[in-house]
Amino acid sequence: VTDRGLEDLLRPLAGQVLGVLVRRYGQFDACEDAVQEALLDASVQWPDSGVPENPKGWLVTVASRRLTDQWRSESARRRREATVAALEPPAVLAGPLPGDDAAGEQDDTLTLLFLCCHPALASASQVALTLRAVGGLTTVEIARAFLVPEATMAQRISRAKQRIKASGTGFHLPSEPERSERLPVVLQVLYLIFNEGYTASSGPGVHRAELTVEAIRLTRAVHALLPDDGEVTGLLALMLLTDARRAARTRPDGTPVPLAEQDRSRWDTAAISEGAALVSQALASAPLGPYQVQAAIAAIHDEAARPADTDWRQILALYGLLERLAPGPAVTLNRAVAVAMVQGPHAGLKLLSGLDGDGRIAGGHRAEAVRAHLLELAGDRDGARTAFTRAARRTTSLPEQRYLQAQATRLAPRDR
Amino acid sequence: MLLIYNNPAFYEAWSEEDRTALFSEVDQIMTELRESGEFVAGEALADGSNTKTVRVRDGVPAVTDGPFAEAKEQMVGYITVDCDSEERAVQIAARWPDAKYFAMEVRPIMHTTVADV
C-alpha cells in the first residue's frame, strides 16, 4: 500500500475504532490516545506485513491492548489490585457488545463529533480535537496544517480533552432538542476546517490543502447519518461547489484570480454536478438555512459557462434572503457586489457606504477591495487606485497584498 | 507578534533581587501561554553591542559594528502567539513587565492564505 492509500484507509476508521473503545471502556481521553497509538502501529506495520483482513478489528484489538497496558502500568504503580481485576479486558474482548452493530457505529461518529465540538471548548480546540479524534490525523499533521509548533498543538488537544473530562459529558448522543441546538456548532467546525484548507495557497500552506479533503469526508459522513437535514446537505453542497473552483482560483505564485477571470475549463464539473444536485434536493425538501442559500449562490456562479452568463438577479435575491437568515457585515459586502452587477456600481457603492458605521468591516481590507472594484466599474480610476492601496496596506495575507498592489499599479496614471 | 521594547541600561541599574523577580514574572506568563496552547515562538536578542549593520552599495557589502543604542529604547526580543483576537494579544502584551516601564508593540504577522476575491 502507498502512504496515501494507507491514510485513506486509516482515517475513516479512526472515529469508528474510537467509538467502539469509548463505548466499551469509557474514558474518552485515554481511549483517544490509545487509538492514535494503534493508528501509528498500523502505519508502521501494514506497509511490510500487508493490510489485515479486518483492518478495523485489528485496530480495535491493538488499541484495546494499548489501553489496558496503560491501565495496568498505572494501576501497578498505584498498587490498586482491585481496580486491575475490574479492568481485565479478555472477557469483554471475546464477543460483540450492544451497539457494536452497524447502527451503533454510525451513532458513534456523530456522538464523537458532538463531543469534540463541545460548547465548553474554544473553536481552535474544537477543530483540532475533531481532526484528531474523528479525522484520525496525528498531532504533527494538524500542527503543520495550522502552522503552529507541535508542542502548541499537543497542548491544545490535551487541554481540550481535560475540559471534556471536567465537563462530565458521557459518551452518548445528545438528545433532542440539544442535538439540533448543537448541530450548527458541529457544522461550523467542519466549515472552519474546510476553509483553512481552501484558503491555503502554495508554499508553506501545502499541508493545509489536505484539510478540505478531510472536511468534505467528515461532512459526507454526517450527511450519510442525517440525510434529511437540509443544512448538513447544504454545507456539503457548499463545500463541493466551492472546492470545484480550487484549481483555477490562484496563480502558480499563489496570488488570487478573481472569479470573473478564472479559467472555467479548470473547474471540477463532477463536483459541480454533485453539489448542485444536493442543493436542489435540500431546497426542495428541507426548511431553508444559511448553508443552503450560500450553496445555491455558489451553484449559480459555477453553472455559468462565462462570467457574462451569471444570473446576478437571482444571486442578489439570494443574498437578500441570506441577510434575513444570517445577517452580518460580510453578507452585506457580498450583497453590495450583487447590487452593483444588477443596478450599477453607484448603487453598490451606496450600500457599501452604509457599512462605514460598522467598525467590524468598514476598516477591513475586504470592504476597501470591494469599494475599489466598484469605483473602477464606475470609471473613477483615481478613487479605485487609492482604495486598492488602502486595502493592500490593511490585508495580512501576502498573496492578497501582491494582488491588490498589482491592481493599484495597473490604475496608476501612465506617462505619455 | 509581540515586540518587546526596553532600555537594557535601565534594568542593569536594578538590584539582583528585583531582576530575579522580573524574570520569574516573565517565566510565569510563558508557562501560562504554553499551557493555554497560545505560545508559538519567542527569542530574546543579544545586547545591542553585538550588532552588525550590513549595507550593500554599488554591489559592495559594507559591514559596520553597531548601532549601539545604549541610551535608547530598543527592540530586545519578540514572542509570537496564536490567539483568538487582537484584544487577547493586547491583553498578553499588557501583562509583560516591559509594558510597565517601556512599551510592547502588537503587530499581526502576514500569512499566505487567500480568500476568494
Side-chain angles (χ1 to χ4, degrees), chain A residues 148-149 152 155-156 159 198-199 201 208 249 254 256 258-259 366 395-401, chain B residues 32-41 82-84 108-117:
Chain A
V148 300
T152 301
Q155 193 55 39
R156 248 178 236 180
R159 251 172 83 95
Y198 179 70
T199 57
S201 60
R208 310 173 68 147
R249 69 183 289 271
L259 199 53
R366 222 165 287 286
T395 182
T396 54
S397 159
L398 277 169
E400 278 175 31
Q401 189 172 59
Chain B
E32 284 177 33
L33 292 176
R34 278 181 215 278
E35 279 174 4
S36 68
E38 291 172 314
F39 177 81
V40 176
D82 184 358
C83 45
D84 284 344
I109 295 177
M110 294 294 277
H111 56 84
T112 58
T113 63
V114 179
D116 281 334
V117 292

Side-chain angles (χ1 to χ4, degrees), chain A residues 247-264:
Chain A
R249 69 183 289 271
T250 51
R251 298 199 164 79
D253 66 1
T255 52
V257 183
L259 199 53
E261 293 167 28
Q262 289 179 14
D263 175 0
R264 296 182 180 220

Side-chain angles (χ1 to χ4, degrees), chain A residues 381-382 412-416:
Chain A
R381 282 178 70 99
D382 283 348
R414 261 162 271 166
D415 297 329
R416 280 179 222 180

